């Protein structure tokens, strides 16, 4: 009787494990089915009203980068460089236009530096360097007007700001293509560009009004604060996607892994897969074990 009772208990335990594994497989099947439906629905509504955690993260990243690129006032600096030069002490119109040339050259230099480094240094470092140095440049630019440092200091600060703006700027165009599948990519890019241009126009048309209300120095202090905020946002939200496939990026976003994860792209992918439940750690030797494998090596 004791042997029979023990045998029945063992069979009951094994049956419970098997039923649990079957239930888990059904849950995984439902998740896959929902993901397939979400990925194959490619309307603007599907992009703007995402159905999955990964698509919500992708929308946050795409629109956030579009806003962050323009909110620091780069378009205002480009459009109103002559006016800024006038405020810095250059009164002649021809001289004001002439000194806009170094600003354009700094902008071009930033692009030439940024693009080759994206695939060697990664997206996050470029964003963090560009955002933090924009913050410093805008702070110094505001001080140059407050403390009347003179034209040369103002020009150097403007050029520095435009250079580091371009260090980070290309990523706002690149990242949407890395976080969306082919079907949704075009619509996501168009939404990001639309938001980017709306923010750009708003900053440009409000610059003179802000300058009158806050003074030129105060306006650049405001942009400095916004640049600092965007840098913090880059650090907290943007993941590193250098060298990763769409599937690996999706695995990170599906687990809510928008926050930047330290380590290599491979480390990020492995962590995301583990959190998603595709792997678990074997308690005996620390090696990965497939779903359904219990601590004794029993597999469903």
């Amino acid at each position: 009787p004791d042997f029979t009772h023990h045998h029945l208990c063992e069979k009951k335990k094994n049956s419970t494990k098997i039923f649990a594994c079957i239930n888990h497989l059904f849950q995984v099947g439902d998740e896959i089915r929902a993901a397939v439906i979400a990925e194959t629905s490619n309307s603007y509504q599907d992009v703007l009203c995402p159905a999955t955690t990964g698509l919500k993260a992708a929308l946050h990243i795409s629109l956030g980068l579009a806003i962050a690129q323009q909110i620091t006032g780069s378009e205002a600096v480009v459009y109103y460089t002559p006016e800024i030069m006038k405020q810095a002490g250059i009164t002649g119109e021809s001289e004001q236009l002439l000194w806009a040339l170094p600003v354009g050259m700094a902008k071009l230099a930033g692009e030439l530096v940024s693009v080759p480094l994206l695939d060697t240094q990664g997206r996050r470092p470029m964003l963090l360097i560009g955002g933090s140095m924009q913050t410093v440049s805008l702070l110094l630019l505001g001080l140059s007007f407050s403390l009347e440092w003179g034209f040369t200091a103002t020009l150097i600060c403007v050029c520095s700001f435009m250079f580091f703006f371009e260090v980070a700027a290309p990523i706002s165009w690149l990242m949407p293509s890395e976080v969306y599948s082919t079907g949704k990519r075009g619509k996501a890019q168009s939404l990001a560009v639309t938001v980017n241009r709306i923010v750009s126009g708003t900053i440009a048309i409000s610059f003179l009004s802000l300058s009158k209300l806050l003074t030129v120095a105060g306006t650049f202090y405001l942009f400095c604060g916004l640049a600092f905020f965007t840098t913090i946002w880059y650090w907290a939200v943007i993941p590193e996607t250098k060298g990763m496939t769409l599937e690996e990026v999706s695995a990170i976003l599906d687990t809510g892994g928008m926050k930047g994860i330290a380590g290599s792209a491979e480390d990020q992918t492995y962590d995301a897969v583990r959190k998603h439940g595709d792997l678990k750690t074997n308690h005996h030797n620390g090696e990965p074990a497939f779903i359904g494998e219990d601590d004794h090596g029993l597999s469903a």
Side-chain angles (χ1 to χ4, degrees):
D2 291 339
F3 173 78
T4 302
H5 177 73
H6 177 75
H7 183 66
L8 290 175
C9 289
E10 287 297 320
K11 290 185 67 175
K12 183 177 180 181
K13 289 180 182 179
N14 289 336
S15 299
T16 302
K17 292 176 182 179
I18 291 172
F19 281 122
C21 290
I22 292 174
N23 183 55
H24 179 75
L25 289 175
F26 278 118
Q27 292 177 352
V28 171
D30 291 338
E31 292 176 3
I32 293 174
R33 191 177 300 109
V36 169
I37 293 173
E39 286 299 322
T40 54
S41 300
N42 297 322
S43 67
Y44 279 105
Q45 182 178 356
D46 296 317
V47 176
L48 284 172
C49 303
T52 65
T53 301
L55 290 176
K56 290 176 183 178
L59 182 66
H60 184 188
I61 290 170
S62 298
L63 297 188
L65 284 171
I67 295 171
Q69 186 201 58
Q70 294 298 330
I71 204 171
T72 57
S74 62
E75 295 293 316
V77 172
V78 171
Y79 294 153
Y80 296 106
T81 296
E83 181 66 23
I84 295 170
M85 294 299 105
K86 179 181 178 181
Q87 295 290 332
I90 302 300
T91 56
E93 291 185 3
S94 60
E95 292 179 333
Q96 292 171 7
L97 294 173
L98 176 64
W99 286 111
L101 181 60
V103 178
M105 295 296 291
K107 187 177 171 70
L108 175 61
E111 292 177 354
L112 295 177
V113 169
S114 176
V115 173
L117 292 178
L118 285 177
D119 284 330
T120 59
Q121 302 303 314
R123 283 65 163 146
R124 274 175 59 81
M126 302 301 288
L127 283 171
L128 294 174
I129 291 172
S132 59
M133 292 308 298
Q134 283 180 73
T135 303
V136 173
S137 299
L138 287 166
L139 176 61
L140 294 176
L141 186 55
L143 290 173
S144 73
F145 282 101
S146 295
L147 303 179
E148 299 180 353
W149 285 349
F151 162 71
T152 302
T154 300
L155 180 63
I156 292 173
C157 292
V158 170
C159 291
S160 173
F161 167 64
M162 293 310 304
F163 176 86
F164 287 107
F165 165 77
E166 288 297 337
V167 167
I171 300 169
S172 67
W173 308 119
L174 172 65
M175 190 70 78
S177 67
E178 296 184 321
V179 297
Y180 278 103
S181 62
T182 304
K184 290 183 173 63
R185 190 171 298 158
K187 291 180 174 60
Q189 286 276 24
S190 66
L191 288 171
V193 171
T194 300
V195 171
N196 181 279
R197 293 297 88 196
I198 290 173
V199 176
S200 170
T202 303
I203 294 294
I205 63 176
S206 63
F207 179 75
L208 292 179
S209 300
L210 285 172
S211 297
K212 292 178 181 178
L213 179 65
L214 303 175
T215 72
V216 175
T219 302
F220 284 121
Y221 289 142
L222 173 62
F223 289 149
C224 174
L226 293 173
F228 177 76
F229 170 78
T230 61
T231 305
I232 298 299
W233 183 81
Y234 293 150
W235 176 83
V237 172
I238 303 299
E240 181 56 74
T241 58
K242 177 176 72 75
M244 299 178 68
T245 65
L246 176 63
E247 290 74 17
E248 291 170 339
V249 175
S250 297
I252 293 174
L253 299 183
D254 284 340
T255 60
M258 289 191 302
K259 183 176 180 180
I261 305 172
S264 66
E266 291 79 6
D267 293 336
Q268 293 187 52
T269 306
Y270 181 75
D271 290 342
V273 169
R274 284 190 61 191
K275 291 177 183 177
H276 202 258
D278 294 338
L279 292 172
K280 72 175 185 176
T281 301
N282 188 294
H283 295 294
H284 296 298
N285 54 23
E287 295 296 326
F290 289 106
I291 288 175
E293 185 177 351
D294 66 12
D295 294 340
H296 302 286
L298 178 65
S299 176

